[in-house]
């Protein structure tokens, strides 16, 4: 099998998984106030790094504040993990690219 075949098979697998994730997550994100804010927009520096976040409540958070709010359970659909000697904020891994922090609109 050639490289192109491997890549096509993987892309088919990945796309099917993403479509399944979308189906499984339909309606799973409650619209009612759960007491947690959701990140709806981001700000990036010139290197493309996320440096600030805007919530659905209109708050603009610097990176450290967003990390602390996420650790305290105040932000929905994000996780904090430790890598490269520091804590990093990321989207919940739900298989849907469109709601990844890196793909949210800029503010």
């Amino acid at each position: 099998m050639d490289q192109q075949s491997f890549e096509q098979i993987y892309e088919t697998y990945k796309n099917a998984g993403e479509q399944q994730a979308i189906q499984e997550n339909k309606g799973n994100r409650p619209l009612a106030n759960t007491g947690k804010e959701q990140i709806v927009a981001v700000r990036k520096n010139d290197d493309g790094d996320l440096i600030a976040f805007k919530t659905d409540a209109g708050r603009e958070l610097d990176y450290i504040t967003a990390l602390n709010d996420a650790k305290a359970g105040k932000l929905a659909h994000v996780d904090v993990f430790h890598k490269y000697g520091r804590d990093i904020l990321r989207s919940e891994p739900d298989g849907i690219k469109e709601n990844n922090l890196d793909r949210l609109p800029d503010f």
Side-chain angles (χ1 to χ4, degrees):
M1 213 179 258
D2 63 18
Q3 180 68 21
Q4 183 65 24
S5 297
F6 288 127
E7 289 179 21
Q8 286 173 331
I9 291 167
Y10 179 74
E11 283 301 313
T12 301
Y13 159 77
K14 189 170 73 171
N15 291 336
E18 187 168 336
Q19 291 305 312
Q20 182 64 33
I22 291 169
Q23 291 299 317
E24 290 173 3
N25 283 302
K26 277 188 179 177
N28 285 347
R29 295 190 182 241
L31 298 177
N33 186 356
T34 61
K36 294 183 179 185
E37 293 175 76
Q38 186 168 336
I39 295 173
V40 295
V42 297
R43 182 165 295 157
K44 299 176 185 177
N45 65 13
D46 291 338
D47 291 330
D49 300 319
L50 299 172
I51 60 169
F53 307 90
K54 185 172 186 176
T55 71
D56 57 354
R59 288 194 314 142
E60 294 180 2
L61 312 173
D62 62 71
Y63 200 92
I64 301 303
T65 302
L67 273 174
N68 290 332
D69 281 4
K71 288 178 191 178
K74 295 178 183 177
L75 297 176
H77 313 301
V78 294
D79 292 327
V80 176
F81 70 104
H82 192 79
K83 191 171 185 178
Y84 311 119
R86 64 184 189 270
D87 288 333
I88 298 173
L89 188 66
R90 72 172 188 178
S91 305
E92 254 179 7
D94 59 8
I96 303 170
K97 291 179 188 176
E98 288 75 22
N99 67 6
N100 289 351
L101 293 176
D102 199 44
R103 291 192 170 208
L104 291 177
D106 294 330
F107 74 97

